[in-house]
Amino acid sequence: MSAIADVARLAGVSKSTASRALSGHGYVSAQTRARVEDAAAQIGYVVSSNASSLVTGHTRNVGVVIPYITRWFFSQVLEGIQSSLIAAGYDLTLYRLSEDETQRRRIFDYFLVRKRVDAVIAVGIELSPQEVTMLHSLGKPIVGIGGEVEGISTISIDDVETARRATEHLLSLGHTRIVHLGGDPDEQMDFRVHSQRLTGVTQAMDAAGVTDGMHFQPAPFSIPGGYATGLSLLADPRSRPTAIVAGCDEIAIGVIIAARQLGIQIPSQLSVIGIDGHDLAEMFALTTLEQFPSRQGIRAVELVMERMLDAADSPARAITMPVHLTVRRSTTAPPKPSAG
Amino acid sequence: MSAIADVARLAGVSKSTASRALSGHGYVSAQTRARVEDAAAQIGYVVSSNASSLVTGHTRNVGVVIPYITRWFFSQVLEGIQSSLIAAGYDLTLYRLSEDETQRRRIFDYFLVRKRVDAVIAVGIELSPQEVTMLHSLGKPIVGIGGEVEGISTISIDDVETARRATEHLLSLGHTRIVHLGGDPDEQMDFRVHSQRLTGVTQAMDAAGVTDGMHFQPAPFSIPGGYATGLSLLADPRSRPTAIVAGCDEIAIGVIIAARQLGIQIPSQLSVIGIDGHDLAEMFALTTLEQFPSRQGIRAVELVMERMLDAADSPARAITMPVHLTVRRSTTAPPKPSAG
DNA sequence: CTCCCAACTGGAACCGGTTCCATATGCGCA
DNA sequence: TGCGCATATGGAACCGGTTCCAGTTGGGAG
């Protein structure tokens, strides 16, 4: 309702002085500033961010593009981004990217373009080269989380390395009959995470010279997915592996529940290792490689801020975040073969 | 980069005609419109939403205030809101309200006021009368989800009724030794949900004349919370109840996992019913009262749109959403007393 | 044949801030 | 004493749209 002109009138100064007093730019005497601030408080004045953005060109608003809101990893990342942004005085505008190609294009061609956001953080999304150039042509920083994209700064863990370490943990305990229950590499949505983790497992197995049999089975990236796949995989005691590398903690937890239901003791009869550091991992005593998604979100905001303030033109960086092996009670040495 | 003046120049018309052609307001001949649209497409013109909002007074942006992003209920609601808003051509600006009072005030006094949002949806937040008046004084619609607030339109389930129905389901199966594992009513954050569900359970128990012993035990609203509380509650076979009404599905699932670990058969030795309709309920064969949170989000957007377009001044409504009892295999008649 | 109104277009004001420029004052330094 | 600079303030232009108002044209009604 009240505009800066009202504040200026009440304080007995010009619009420009009122603006300087409130925004802190330029010279204003201490007593004038106080008078203007009093006047503003008195009539409950708040800047119109539209008018302000219109002339300054920046909005103090960051767009976040994300494919899922309800999945653990993504909601954690979002939470990290949100808390960092609000602390820095920025708004967060949320765009959920569905599989629908039309809607995706709409978000990029329409929503992100209207000078509403100062920067874009893309989580778990493989941007096309056109999308990258489009966003770049707006002169806005872009940061990706969860995979490397040509031409933009990204934050991610080394998925190959992480999966390899998980596998090596089992190998070092003496396991050789290891199955990787991971995401289907043919699924487009998850940004090569699936295929990279599979690669890591394969590398570790190859390096250890373990080459017999089928070591990979696809599973949906969820607890029910791991449960259903686990039930069928573990049903036959003769073909059963001694250890499982799950593509994510959700799958691992599903497998543990399935194993319990089948009466399989963990870890004495079956070791399970996950990747993620899920909230439920501790409760299931799950050994896992923790990646700290909310920290990734925080780091992304730092990067975005850095590019907005100082180093707008510095080259794109690919930052690899550390992971941490947390050993709990879901992994141990394989059972002695009772009858060979 | 390119402004509407550039489009107008290229199309050989005035700014005002270009604006009319692109926005669709007022008279423009078909061929002029076509020329303007071509020109706009040619130089990649997109409206500046700031400039537009500045004069029209609305932003096509809705603020969502929410206390948690990672909890199941809230992320589901958020997803529903997001998909509806994007379909209606609206942006969503996300504010996560932490327990921190300073930050809460900052969001209300600063972020929400700057004419950036056309409306506010508050999820699971008990707004103070001051906050309600403040938001109302901005002339912006507010809709609440998850509890009734004086003076604003709200969408919620009837928590008392829902908890009563859950309890009645167990009573009708013949249970009398029923424990309610619910949220601590002293916790402020969750908007009286805890105390209302407790009330519903108590009402059903009273109506059935079941009055012996301790029927309520507080538990954190999470799977690990239900698990830990379940382990201690169920440890002693003599004091063990025959049925549990969980305050939410997360608690119910935690209890089921605890029971399995203790070797307690579900449902033959222990019936468990939840409230929510969680993603994992089916996998755990959990009988539950489903509340469809994403539909609540969708409904909230409908309400907000309604108030923005047609009925800005119609009286506040409290909409109660239906819940649905889904019976699975976690509930049955109580075990026959073997000795006693 | 007028008259009137709908259809169409351009000019200018306006939304609410920020910032450039001009002007004024006071103080330190040559 | 005079010059120059830092400090302080007001006036006016400007950001990029939308909308009001005035003016022109053409066609149907009276």
Side-chain angles (χ1 to χ4, degrees):
Chain A
M1 275 287 124
S2 59
I4 201 172
D6 304 326
V7 176
R9 198 174 313 120
L10 185 58
V13 296
S14 69
K15 258 176 65 176
S16 34
T17 300
S19 173
R20 278 187 293 254
L22 295 171
S23 68
H25 296 302
Y27 296 116
V28 185
S29 73
Q31 64 202 44
T32 304
R33 162 166 293 121
R35 274 221 315 286
V36 172
E37 281 169 353
D38 286 352
Q42 192 178 323
I43 61 178
Y45 167 81
V46 182
V47 275
S48 157
S49 61
N50 285 317
S52 181
S53 305
L54 181 55
V55 44
T56 62
H58 37 79
T59 61
R60 298 186 76 80
N61 184 27
V62 171
V64 173
V65 188
I66 203 164
Y68 309 101
I69 300 176
T70 54
R71 287 199 187 177
W72 178 81
F73 173 81
F74 295 96
S75 66
Q76 291 285 326
V77 169
L78 186 57
E79 186 157 83
I81 294 174
Q82 161 70 36
S83 58
S84 291
L85 283 178
I86 208 101
Y90 276 69
D91 281 359
L92 186 165
T93 297
L94 180 68
Y95 299 100
R96 181 170 162 275
L97 214 63
S98 70
E99 304 77 16
D100 179 6
E101 185 59 30
T102 319
Q103 194 176 312
R104 179 180 180 127
R105 196 162 297 152
R106 189 156 162 226
I107 286 181
F108 277 91
D109 291 356
Y110 176 64
F111 279 98
L112 287 179
V113 189
R114 295 164 308 156
K115 297 155 183 91
R116 268 217 177 162
V117 296
D118 287 344
V120 174
I121 299 178
V123 187
I125 287 168
E126 188 150 13
L127 298 168
S128 72
Q130 296 97 297
E131 286 164 348
V132 170
T133 20
M134 193 274 276
L135 290 171
H136 264 140
S137 73
L138 299 174
K140 303 197 182 310
I142 327 163
V143 171
I145 297 183
E148 298 189 12
V149 175
E150 189 62 34
I152 71 171
S153 286
T154 53
I155 290 171
S156 56
I157 61 167
D158 184 332
D159 280 297
V160 176
E161 168 73 12
T162 303
R164 189 168 52 205
R165 279 181 60 189
T167 313
E168 283 166 355
H169 172 71
L170 296 175
L171 289 165
S172 73
L173 289 168
H175 291 274
T176 52
R177 292 171 58 191
I178 299 173
V179 167
H180 174 46
L181 283 189
D184 190 336
D186 292 339
E187 253 183 43
Q188 288 301 319
M189 206 56 188
D190 238 343
F191 206 137
R192 283 180 285 183
V193 167
H194 299 168
S195 56
Q196 294 200 16
R197 292 187 183 172
L198 174 56
T199 303
V201 174
T202 310
Q203 282 183 6
M205 300 287 270
D206 289 352
V210 179
T211 47
D212 55 321
M214 165 58 175
H215 301 302
F216 171 69
Q217 190 156 329
F221 249 53
S222 65
I223 295 180
Y227 175 71
T229 315
L231 278 184
S232 70
L233 174 71
L234 302 174
D236 183 352
R238 278 164 306 187
S239 64
R240 188 195 302 159
T242 63
I244 287 175
V245 183
C248 64
D249 280 359
E250 280 104 326
I251 293 178
I253 291 166
V255 167
I256 290 176
I257 295 171
R260 286 182 183 172
Q261 188 161 323
L262 293 169
I264 299 168
Q265 295 293 325
I266 289 178
S268 60
Q269 294 179 279
L270 180 73
S271 288
V272 178
I273 189 168
I275 297 174
D276 264 352
H278 194 282
D279 293 333
L280 296 178
E282 190 176 358
M283 179 185 144
F284 285 96
L286 177 66
T287 296
T288 185
L289 276 120
E290 299 195 68
Q291 61 166 323
F292 306 89
S294 76
R295 285 192 209 162
Q296 295 180 39
I298 292 169
R299 194 77 187 83
V301 172
E302 287 172 10
L303 252 191
V304 153
M305 292 295 163
E306 192 181 308
R307 303 203 141 248
M308 286 197 295
L309 303 176
D310 330 319
D313 306 316
S314 61
R317 292 198 277 159
I319 294 180
T320 303
M321 300 287 283
V323 297
H324 181 255
L325 173 65
T326 297
V327 179
R328 296 201 182 87
R329 299 188 313 281
S330 71
T331 49
T332 192
K336 307 262 185 319
S338 54
Chain B
M1 277 287 123
S2 59
I4 201 173
D6 304 326
V7 177
R9 199 175 313 120
L10 185 57
V13 297
S14 69
K15 257 176 68 177
S16 34
T17 300
S19 173
R20 278 187 293 254
L22 293 171
S23 69
H25 297 300
Y27 296 116
V28 185
S29 73
Q31 65 202 43
T32 304
R33 163 166 293 120
R35 273 221 316 285
V36 172
E37 281 169 352
D38 285 354
Q42 193 178 323
I43 61 178
Y45 167 81
V46 182
V47 276
S48 156
S49 62
N50 284 317
S52 180
S53 306
L54 181 55
V55 44
T56 62
H58 37 79
T59 60
R60 296 188 79 78
N61 184 26
V62 171
V64 173
V65 188
I66 202 163
Y68 309 101
I69 300 176
T70 55
R71 287 199 187 176
W72 178 80
F73 174 81
F74 295 95
S75 66
Q76 291 285 324
V77 169
L78 185 58
E79 186 158 83
I81 294 174
Q82 161 70 37
S83 58
S84 292
L85 283 179
I86 208 101
Y90 276 69
D91 280 358
L92 186 167
T93 297
L94 179 68
Y95 299 100
R96 181 171 162 274
L97 214 62
S98 70
E99 303 78 15
D100 179 6
E101 186 58 29
T102 319
Q103 195 178 311
R104 179 181 180 126
R105 195 161 297 152
R106 189 157 163 224
I107 285 180
F108 278 92
D109 292 355
Y110 176 63
F111 279 99
L112 287 179
V113 190
R114 297 164 305 157
K115 295 155 183 94
R116 269 219 177 160
V117 296
D118 287 344
V120 174
I121 298 178
V123 188
I125 287 168
E126 187 149 15
L127 298 169
S128 73
Q130 296 96 299
E131 285 164 350
V132 171
T133 21
M134 192 275 276
L135 290 171
H136 264 141
S137 73
L138 299 174
K140 304 198 181 308
I142 326 164
V143 171
I145 297 183
E148 298 190 11
V149 175
E150 189 62 34
I152 70 170
S153 286
T154 53
I155 289 170
S156 56
I157 61 167
D158 184 333
D159 279 298
V160 176
E161 168 74 11
T162 303
R164 190 167 52 206
R165 278 180 63 189
T167 313
E168 283 166 356
H169 172 71
L170 295 175
L171 288 165
S172 73
L173 288 169
H175 291 274
T176 54
R177 293 170 59 192
I178 299 173
V179 166
H180 174 46
L181 282 190
D184 189 336
D186 293 338
E187 253 182 43
Q188 287 302 318
M189 205 57 189
D190 237 343
F191 207 137
R192 284 180 285 183
V193 168
H194 299 167
S195 57
Q196 294 201 17
R197 292 187 183 173
L198 174 56
T199 303
V201 174
T202 310
Q203 282 183 6
M205 300 286 272
D206 289 353
V210 180
T211 48
D212 54 321
M214 165 60 174
H215 300 302
F216 171 68
Q217 191 157 331
F221 249 52
S222 65
I223 294 180
Y227 174 72
T229 315
L231 278 184
S232 69
L233 174 72
L234 302 174
D236 183 353
R238 280 164 305 186
S239 64
R240 188 196 301 159
T242 63
I244 287 175
V245 184
C248 64
D249 280 359
E250 279 104 325
I251 293 179
I253 290 166
V255 167
I256 290 176
I257 295 171
R260 285 182 183 173
Q261 188 162 323
L262 293 168
I264 300 168
Q265 294 293 325
I266 289 178
S268 60
Q269 296 179 276
L270 179 74
S271 288
V272 178
I273 190 168
I275 297 174
D276 264 352
H278 194 283
D279 293 332
L280 295 177
E282 190 177 358
M283 179 184 144
F284 285 96
L286 177 65
T287 297
T288 185
L289 277 120
E290 299 195 67
Q291 68 158 318
F292 316 103
S294 76
R295 283 192 209 162
Q296 296 181 38
I298 292 169
R299 193 79 187 79
V301 172
E302 287 172 10
L303 253 191
V304 153
M305 293 294 163
E306 192 181 307
R307 301 202 142 250
M308 286 198 294
L309 303 176
D310 328 320
D313 306 316
S314 61
R317 293 198 276 159
I319 294 180
T320 303
M321 301 286 283
V323 297
H324 182 256
L325 173 64
T326 298
V327 179
R328 296 200 181 89
R329 298 187 314 280
S330 70
T331 49
T332 191
K336 305 266 185 317
S338 52

